[in-house]
Amino acid sequence: MYHVKDFTSFTSDIIALITYSKKIENNWKKEDFKLLDKPDEMLYGAVQDFQELLFAEGNEKLYDNIIRISEEMLKNYPDHLQSRLNISTIYIARNDYDKSLDALQKAEKIDSTNPILLYNIASVYKMKGEKENAKKYFALTTRNTTQKEEKLKEAALKQLDLLK
């Protein structure tokens, strides 16, 4: 497990990594100087791991760091769904449901069938008190889950029952 003390420098380093990765077109090499098989996935995973460290701190003061990293990802990789989800999560934590929904709706334009995204949209609508929109998106969640996502489907069905 990592132990970070200087979150400002940590965030700046992550942003520099994202910028550099875009500059080199994600041509990351292994120790033997051969290109990585899936460098985009490596970058996305590494950035998400770093963001999870910030989330795990449970410190509201770090929310802006998460947003800065996510915005840098979106500047360089506009279709990066996870960055939009991270931004949305921060706005939910801040009770700013309109900004959260805005981030999610932008993500929906990228992938309108992602069940986690659909569930999050439904949840934000529920928090806003928009029952009909919440029901619509919980129903969409149930129709777009795979067998691997059975628990998510069950959660969406439970929410639909609660919204009757």
Side-chain angles (χ1 to χ4, degrees), residues 44 47-48 73-74 77-85 110:
Y44 298 164
V47 170
Q48 187 57 29
M73 279 296 291
L74 292 169
Y77 307 95
D79 292 342
H80 189 245
L81 188 69
Q82 187 60 50
S83 289
R84 295 196 189 282
L85 290 169
I110 297 165

Side-chain angles (χ1 to χ4, degrees), residues 115-116 144-153:
I116 296 169
N144 285 285
T145 54
T146 64
Q147 283 185 325
K148 284 185 352 184
E149 299 156 330
E150 194 61 34
K151 288 185 180 185
L152 183 62
K153 183 176 184 176

